[in-house]
Amino acid sequence: MDQTQRRILDQPLSILTAQPKKKRTSMMSFFSKVSWKLRFQKREPLKNVFFILAEKARDPSAKKRHMAMRGLGTMACETPDKVRKYKKIVLDLLVHGLYDPVSSEVIHESMKTLTIILGKIQGKGLGSFFIDITLQTRTLLDDENDSLRYSAFVLFGQLAAFAGRKWKKFFTSQVKQTQDSLLIHLQDRNPQVAKACKTAFRACSPYLRRRKEYSFQSEEDQRNPKLCRQLSHYHPELLQFLYANKIL
């Protein structure tokens, strides 16, 4: 096993000491099986690590799916060229994980890994995956879990940068449906979520600009007094940004 393979398999294990004993045992078991399969072959190319993780990503065990998603994220960081080569397979696995019906941990790990991978591929070649990722991410912006909300805002802001001409109309409609969530979570109870929301809001601002046909409205009518008061108190620079870009 070469150094890159070992890092991919060993990095997730570094978190084991922080896990409860029962969970730590199951995670150790998962990665020991993966390591055993790798050592079984004398000359093991890195692609086999990928295919083992791909197999585990659809395992009936939620814990194994979670660890597989984490492994794919590590692989994306360590060997981005390999991920680009198997981009469609990786995206399919991660979108499947994003819609996991059982485990919020699988969903969370899928979002984090998608954020890494979209950054590596600069949003190129997403195809219809863009729609699947956007629709599910939008539903997670109001989730009760702070970690899920945070990752959802990070990913949603990233999607704004990669919509391009092809998905501009679709993403515009999604942002408009999400506008209330974007405004509400600017004052999220979790400071990190609020910060991620603010970043996402800025990224989505081009999709919120008013159309010219509404320019006949008075400035007073165009602005939401309550919202403006809230923003001027909590986010004065953001309010200035929204005015400058004719969002409010």
Side-chain angles (χ1 to χ4, degrees):
M1 189 187 305
D2 63 28
Q3 188 176 2
T4 302
Q5 291 172 337
R6 185 167 294 282
R7 279 202 301 269
I8 291 170
L9 292 173
D10 287 351
Q11 183 168 322
L13 292 177
S14 64
I15 67 166
L16 291 178
T17 54
Q19 302 293 336
K21 184 176 181 180
K22 185 176 181 181
K23 187 173 183 179
R24 185 162 65 242
T25 301
S26 64
M27 292 164 68
M28 286 289 290
S29 176
F30 169 79
F31 282 104
S32 65
K33 288 178 181 178
V34 174
S35 299
W36 181 85
K37 287 186 178 181
L38 291 174
R39 287 193 293 267
F40 185 72
Q41 299 184 29
K42 292 181 179 179
R43 301 183 67 181
E44 188 67 41
L46 187 60
K47 69 178 182 180
N48 284 304
V49 179
F50 168 74
F51 284 115
I52 290 170
L53 292 173
E55 178 185 352
K56 297 301 180 184
R58 292 183 179 273
D59 195 276
S61 168
K63 291 179 180 179
K64 290 182 180 180
R65 294 198 303 276
H66 176 222
M67 286 297 99
M69 295 304 171
R70 186 186 294 272
L72 288 171
T74 304
M75 177 172 276
C77 293
E78 295 283 349
T79 58
D81 290 341
K82 186 65 65 176
V83 170
R84 291 190 190 99
K85 182 177 180 180
Y86 298 109
K87 179 175 62 179
K88 289 185 178 180
I89 297 175
V90 173
L91 288 172
D92 183 62
L93 292 170
L94 292 173
V95 169
H96 187 77
L98 194 61
Y99 283 81
D100 196 281
V102 178
S103 173
S104 61
E105 289 184 337
V106 174
I107 294 172
H108 185 215
E109 206 64 52
S110 298
M111 275 197 293
K112 290 196 296 182
T113 300
L114 276 168
T115 299
I116 295 170
I117 289 177
L118 292 187
K120 297 293 184 183
I121 66 175
Q122 288 297 295
K124 295 179 180 178
L126 284 177
S128 61
F129 287 124
F130 183 89
I131 294 177
D132 297 326
I133 296 169
T134 301
L135 289 174
Q136 181 66 347
T137 302
R138 189 170 71 82
T139 67
L140 297 168
L141 297 176
D142 295 314
D143 197 273
E144 294 181 359
N145 185 300
D146 289 8
S147 296
L148 284 177
R149 286 200 314 284
Y150 173 81
S151 293
F153 277 114
V154 172
L155 183 54
F156 199 77
Q158 194 179 41
L159 289 167
F162 298 141
R165 292 183 179 181
K166 184 175 182 180
W167 302 114
K168 183 177 180 179
K169 185 176 180 180
F170 163 75
F171 196 73
T172 298
S173 69
Q174 294 301 302
V175 171
K176 288 182 177 179
Q177 293 179 61
T178 310
Q179 187 171 356
D180 288 345
S181 294
L182 289 169
L183 293 172
I184 290 170
H185 292 290
L186 286 171
Q187 300 176 44
D188 195 278
R189 64 177 182 267
N190 185 307
Q192 292 302 313
V193 175
K195 185 177 179 180
C197 177
K198 187 175 181 179
T199 301
F201 202 122
R202 287 182 180 275
C204 293
S205 62
Y207 303 94
L208 290 168
R209 292 193 177 109
R210 296 189 308 275
R211 294 181 181 179
K212 291 182 180 179
E213 56 262 32
Y214 295 108
S215 60
F216 66 88
Q217 293 178 324
S218 68
E219 185 176 348
E220 186 72 21
D221 291 334
Q222 289 174 353
R223 296 183 178 180
N224 182 323
K226 183 178 179 181
L227 173 62
C228 291
R229 284 196 301 272
Q230 292 175 335
L231 288 176
S232 65
H233 181 70
Y234 293 102
H235 306 281
E237 84 230 36
L238 180 58
L239 179 63
Q240 185 178 5
F241 172 83
L242 297 176
Y243 281 159
N245 287 277
K246 298 182 178 180
I247 297 170
L248 291 175

Coordinates of all heavy atoms in Angstrom, one line a residue, residues 150-181:
Y150 N -25.3 24.6 8.6 CA -24.0 25.2 8.3 C -23.5 24.7 6.9 O -23.2 25.4 6.0 CB -23.0 25.0 9.3 CG -21.6 25.4 9.0 CD1 -21.3 26.8 9.1 CD2 -20.7 24.5 8.5 CE1 -20.0 27.2 8.7 CE2 -19.4 25.0 8.1 CZ -19.1 26.3 8.2 OH -17.8 26.7 7.8
S151 N -23.5 23.4 6.8 CA -22.9 22.8 5.6 C -23.9 23.1 4.4 O -23.4 23.2 3.2 CB -22.8 21.2 5.7 OG -21.8 20.9 6.7
A152 N -25.2 23.1 4.6 CA -26.1 23.4 3.6 C -25.9 24.9 3.0 O -25.9 25.1 1.8 CB -27.5 23.3 4.1
F153 N -25.7 25.8 3.9 CA -25.4 27.2 3.5 C -24.1 27.3 2.7 O -24.0 28.0 1.7 CB -25.5 28.2 4.6 CG -26.8 28.6 5.0 CD1 -27.4 28.2 6.3 CD2 -27.6 29.4 4.2 CE1 -28.7 28.6 6.6 CE2 -28.9 29.7 4.5 CZ -29.4 29.4 5.8
V154 N -23.1 26.6 3.2 CA -21.8 26.6 2.5 C -22.0 26.0 1.1 O -21.5 26.6 0.1 CB -20.8 25.8 3.2 CG1 -19.5 25.6 2.4 CG2 -20.4 26.5 4.6
L155 N -22.7 24.9 1.0 CA -22.9 24.3 -0.3 C -23.8 25.1 -1.3 O -23.5 25.2 -2.5 CB -23.4 22.9 -0.1 CG -23.6 22.0 -1.4 CD1 -22.4 21.9 -2.2 CD2 -24.2 20.6 -1.0
F156 N -24.8 25.7 -0.7 CA -25.7 26.5 -1.5 C -25.0 27.7 -2.1 O -25.3 28.0 -3.2 CB -26.9 26.9 -0.6 CG -28.1 27.3 -1.5 CD1 -28.9 26.3 -2.1 CD2 -28.5 28.6 -1.6 CE1 -30.0 26.7 -2.8 CE2 -29.6 29.0 -2.4 CZ -30.4 28.1 -3.0
G157 N -24.2 28.3 -1.3 CA -23.4 29.5 -1.8 C -22.5 29.1 -2.9 O -22.3 29.8 -3.8
Q158 N -21.9 27.9 -2.7 CA -21.0 27.4 -3.8 C -21.8 27.1 -5.1 O -21.3 27.4 -6.2 CB -20.3 26.1 -3.3 CG -19.1 25.7 -4.1 CD -18.5 24.4 -3.5 OE1 -19.2 23.5 -3.1 NE2 -17.2 24.4 -3.5
L159 N -23.0 26.5 -5.0 CA -23.8 26.3 -6.1 C -24.1 27.5 -6.9 O -24.2 27.5 -8.1 CB -25.1 25.6 -5.7 CG -24.9 24.1 -5.2 CD1 -26.2 23.6 -4.6 CD2 -24.6 23.2 -6.4
A160 N -24.3 28.6 -6.2 CA -24.6 29.9 -6.8 C -23.5 30.3 -7.8 O -23.7 30.9 -8.8 CB -24.7 31.0 -5.7
A161 N -22.2 30.0 -7.4 CA -21.1 30.3 -8.3 C -21.0 29.4 -9.5 O -20.3 29.8 -10.5 CB -19.8 30.2 -7.4
F162 N -21.6 28.3 -9.4 CA -21.4 27.3 -10.5 C -22.7 27.1 -11.4 O -22.7 26.2 -12.2 CB -21.0 25.9 -10.0 CG -19.7 26.0 -9.3 CD1 -19.5 25.3 -8.1 CD2 -18.6 26.8 -9.7 CE1 -18.2 25.3 -7.4 CE2 -17.4 26.8 -9.1 CZ -17.2 26.1 -7.9
A163 N -23.7 27.9 -11.1 CA -25.0 27.7 -11.9 C -24.8 28.0 -13.4 O -25.3 27.2 -14.2 CB -26.0 28.7 -11.3
G164 N -24.0 29.0 -13.7 CA -23.7 29.3 -15.1 C -25.0 29.6 -15.9 O -26.1 29.8 -15.4
R165 N -24.9 29.7 -17.2 CA -26.0 30.1 -18.0 C -27.0 28.9 -18.1 O -28.2 29.1 -18.1 CB -25.5 30.4 -19.5 CG -24.8 31.7 -19.6 CD -24.4 31.9 -21.0 NE -23.6 33.2 -21.2 CZ -23.2 33.7 -22.3 NH1 -23.4 33.0 -23.5 NH2 -22.6 34.8 -22.4
K166 N -26.5 27.7 -18.1 CA -27.4 26.5 -18.3 C -28.4 26.4 -17.2 O -29.6 26.1 -17.4 CB -26.5 25.3 -18.3 CG -27.3 24.0 -18.6 CD -26.4 22.8 -18.7 CE -27.2 21.6 -19.0 NZ -26.4 20.3 -19.2
W167 N -28.0 26.7 -15.9 CA -28.9 26.5 -14.8 C -29.3 27.8 -14.2 O -29.9 27.8 -13.1 CB -28.2 25.6 -13.7 CG -27.8 24.3 -14.3 CD1 -26.6 23.8 -14.4 CD2 -28.7 23.3 -14.7 NE1 -26.6 22.5 -14.9 CE2 -27.9 22.2 -15.2 CE3 -30.1 23.1 -14.9 CZ2 -28.4 21.0 -15.7 CZ3 -30.6 22.0 -15.4 CH2 -29.8 20.9 -15.8
K168 N -29.0 29.0 -14.8 CA -29.3 30.3 -14.2 C -30.8 30.4 -13.9 O -31.2 30.9 -12.8 CB -28.9 31.4 -15.2 CG -29.1 32.8 -14.6 CD -28.6 33.9 -15.5 CE -28.8 35.2 -14.9 NZ -28.3 36.3 -15.7
K169 N -31.7 30.1 -14.9 CA -33.1 30.3 -14.7 C -33.6 29.4 -13.5 O -34.4 29.8 -12.7 CB -33.9 29.9 -15.9 CG -35.4 30.2 -15.9 CD -36.0 29.9 -17.2 CE -37.5 30.2 -17.1 NZ -38.2 30.0 -18.5
F170 N -33.2 28.1 -13.5 CA -33.6 27.2 -12.5 C -33.1 27.7 -11.1 O -33.8 27.7 -10.1 CB -33.0 25.8 -12.8 CG -33.0 24.9 -11.6 CD1 -34.2 24.3 -11.1 CD2 -31.8 24.6 -10.9 CE1 -34.2 23.4 -10.0 CE2 -31.8 23.8 -9.8 CZ -33.0 23.2 -9.4
F171 N -31.8 28.1 -11.0 CA -31.3 28.5 -9.7 C -31.9 29.8 -9.2 O -32.1 29.9 -8.0 CB -29.7 28.6 -9.8 CG -29.1 28.6 -8.5 CD1 -29.0 27.5 -7.7 CD2 -28.6 29.8 -7.9 CE1 -28.4 27.5 -6.5 CE2 -28.0 29.8 -6.7 CZ -27.9 28.6 -5.9
T172 N -32.2 30.7 -10.2 CA -32.9 31.9 -9.8 C -34.2 31.6 -9.1 O -34.5 32.2 -8.0 CB -33.2 32.8 -11.0 OG1 -31.9 33.2 -11.6 CG2 -33.9 34.1 -10.6
S173 N -35.0 30.6 -9.6 CA -36.2 30.3 -9.0 C -36.0 29.6 -7.6 O -36.8 29.9 -6.7 CB -37.0 29.3 -9.9 OG -36.4 28.0 -9.9
Q174 N -34.9 28.9 -7.5 CA -34.6 28.3 -6.2 C -34.2 29.3 -5.1 O -34.6 29.2 -4.0 CB -33.5 27.2 -6.4 CG -33.9 26.0 -7.2 CD -35.1 25.3 -6.6 OE1 -35.1 24.8 -5.5 NE2 -36.2 25.1 -7.4
V175 N -33.4 30.3 -5.6 CA -33.0 31.3 -4.6 C -34.2 32.1 -4.2 O -34.3 32.5 -3.0 CB -31.9 32.2 -5.3 CG1 -31.6 33.4 -4.4 CG2 -30.7 31.4 -5.6
K176 N -35.1 32.4 -5.1 CA -36.3 33.2 -4.7 C -37.1 32.5 -3.7 O -37.7 33.1 -2.8 CB -37.1 33.6 -5.9 CG -36.3 34.7 -6.8 CD -37.1 35.1 -8.0 CE -36.4 36.2 -8.7 NZ -37.2 36.6 -9.9
Q177 N -37.2 31.2 -3.8 CA -38.0 30.3 -2.9 C -37.2 30.2 -1.6 O -37.8 29.9 -0.5 CB -38.2 28.9 -3.4 CG -39.1 28.9 -4.6 CD -39.3 27.5 -5.2 OE1 -39.8 26.6 -4.5 NE2 -38.9 27.3 -6.4
T178 N -35.9 30.5 -1.6 CA -35.1 30.4 -0.4 C -34.9 31.7 0.3 O -34.2 31.8 1.4 CB -33.7 29.8 -0.8 OG1 -33.9 28.6 -1.6 CG2 -32.9 29.4 0.4
Q179 N -35.3 32.8 -0.3 CA -35.0 34.1 0.2 C -35.4 34.3 1.7 O -34.6 34.9 2.5 CB -35.8 35.2 -0.6 CG -35.4 36.6 -0.3 CD -36.0 37.6 -1.2 OE1 -36.6 37.2 -2.2 NE2 -35.8 38.9 -1.0
D180 N -36.5 33.8 2.1 CA -36.9 33.9 3.5 C -35.9 33.2 4.5 O -35.5 33.8 5.5 CB -38.3 33.3 3.8 CG -39.4 34.2 3.2 OD1 -39.1 35.4 2.9 OD2 -40.5 33.7 3.0
S181 N -35.5 32.0 4.0 CA -34.5 31.3 4.9 C -33.1 32.0 4.9 O -32.5 32.1 6.0 CB -34.2 29.9 4.3 OG -35.4 29.1 4.4

